[in-house]
Amino acid sequence: MSSVAKRVITGIVGLPLVVAVVHIGGIPLVVVCAFAALVGLRELYLAFAKEDKPIHAVGYLATVGYYIAIYFFGPGYWLLISLTLFMIAVQTCLVIFFRHLPLEDCVTAVYGFLYVPFLLSFIVLVREHEALGAFYVWLIFISSFGCDTFAYITGMTLGRRKLEGSPSPSKSLEGLVGGVVGATLLGLLYGWLVTRFFGLEFEGNFMLNAAAISFVGAGFSIIGDMAASAIKRHTKIKDFGYIIPGHGGILDRMDSIVVVAPMVYLVINLLIWVPVWPWI
């Protein structure tokens, strides 16, 4: 079966599941994100270490505990407590097993946890946000996948200036600009559709908020994509894994989402706290 056929089948099977889980939110979303975080974390650990190591278990246990804390307590100081306990656990392992535990393995354990489970958890935090999280959460995917799609189309048709010296030298400047513009327009369209057909009274202007969030999200989706490419180049691997047919690993599919999700959460809060559109 060709790679394209695998991608199509994966999309047909996986897309409805993702849509349903994100729409429902709550426990199903937390469980799915926690599972994706665990798989993605192991992919990253294996990319660096090439094998499972005992210290990795600390990262897996911390991931489970972290998502349990998110479900029961939401955002706030419990997240800081979870991160603090994880760091103390790694430090304790370093002290107890210092003769057999290289410092770089501890650094990898911490980096992996912050990169995958922590950043990915912002999907849950956005979805459960008190200010229309059920609508804002889709902007994570719109800005990420929208930027990727429009960057590919624009790069193939108009791309001239290649990004030589970057982790993705085959990409073009025109493609990146096209990706950001395309994702921003998709966000604007999404904001108009939500405002038009759901008949909700929004704080501020949801349509302009959606466009602004998509613009920022698209810019950081490029950072996420290139950061993953840089890691793969440094570790000399083609894909992080093979769990998703036609796409590779969890991180190969969600490399931009893990960076976009926290930025969307940040921009949502900034737009709520600051009257960005006072003339509307």
Side-chain angles (χ1 to χ4, degrees):
M1 185 181 296
S2 68
S3 176
V4 175
K6 289 180 180 179
R7 283 175 174 262
V8 172
I9 293 174
T10 300
I12 293 174
V13 175
L15 184 59
L17 176 62
V18 172
V19 171
V21 168
V22 175
H23 174 71
I24 295 171
I27 292 180
L29 181 60
V30 172
V31 171
V32 170
C33 284
F35 174 77
L38 287 169
V39 175
L41 181 59
R42 185 168 188 268
E43 290 174 350
L44 189 66
Y45 282 164
L46 291 179
F48 283 113
K50 309 304 180 187
E51 63 179 355
D52 290 307
K53 295 193 174 185
I55 189 64
H56 296 166
V58 179
Y60 303 142
L61 291 174
T63 298
V64 174
Y66 177 71
Y67 277 86
I68 290 175
I70 286 176
Y71 174 73
F72 283 104
F73 305 110
Y77 67 91
W78 279 102
L79 299 187
L80 293 178
I81 291 176
S82 299
L83 294 175
T84 301
L85 292 176
F86 170 63
M87 281 299 304
I88 292 175
V90 173
Q91 298 288 66
T92 302
C93 290
L94 183 62
V95 170
I96 296 175
F97 306 106
F98 76 99
R99 292 185 181 274
H100 309 286
L101 180 58
L103 181 60
E104 53 267 27
D105 288 352
C106 294
V107 174
T108 298
V110 174
Y111 176 77
F113 177 82
L114 293 176
Y115 179 33
V116 187
F118 178 69
L119 294 184
L120 190 63
S121 69
F122 280 87
I123 293 178
V124 179
L125 297 181
V126 172
R127 173 61 181 83
E128 304 303 325
H129 197 284
E130 59 184 359
L132 304 171
F135 292 96
Y136 278 122
V137 68
W138 297 107
L139 293 173
I140 297 173
F141 305 96
I142 289 173
S143 56
S144 178
F145 296 145
C147 180
D148 185 54
T149 301
F150 279 100
Y152 177 78
I153 295 172
T154 308
M156 290 292 292
T157 56
L158 303 174
R160 296 292 183 272
R161 290 180 280 271
K162 299 296 183 181
L163 301 178
E164 298 179 3
S166 74
S168 303
S170 62
K171 296 184 184 296
S172 66
L173 178 61
E174 293 83 359
L176 298 188
V177 173
V180 173
V181 172
T184 303
L185 292 177
L186 277 181
L188 187 66
L189 175 61
Y190 170 75
W192 179 81
L193 289 173
V194 169
T195 304
R196 173 69 176 79
F197 292 104
F198 283 88
L200 301 177
E201 294 296 331
F202 293 104
E203 293 288 337
N205 190 304
F206 182 80
M207 187 170 69
L208 294 182
N209 284 357
I213 291 170
S214 297
F215 174 78
V216 175
F220 280 93
S221 75
I222 296 171
I223 299 298
D225 178 68
M226 289 194 173
S229 296
I231 292 173
K232 287 188 280 189
R233 287 184 178 275
H234 281 302
T235 56
K236 297 179 173 58
I237 60 174
K238 182 179 182 296
D239 295 312
F240 283 108
Y242 309 96
I243 192 173
I244 305 178
H247 293 275
I250 287 289
L251 279 182
D252 294 297
R253 183 67 279 182
M254 304 188 73
D255 52 4
S256 59
I257 288 178
V258 296
V259 178
V260 172
M263 296 310 302
V264 169
Y265 184 81
L266 174 62
V267 176
I268 288 173
N269 285 287
L270 288 176
L271 290 174
I272 291 173
W273 294 334
V274 180
V276 180
W277 323 114
W279 58 88
I280 299 297

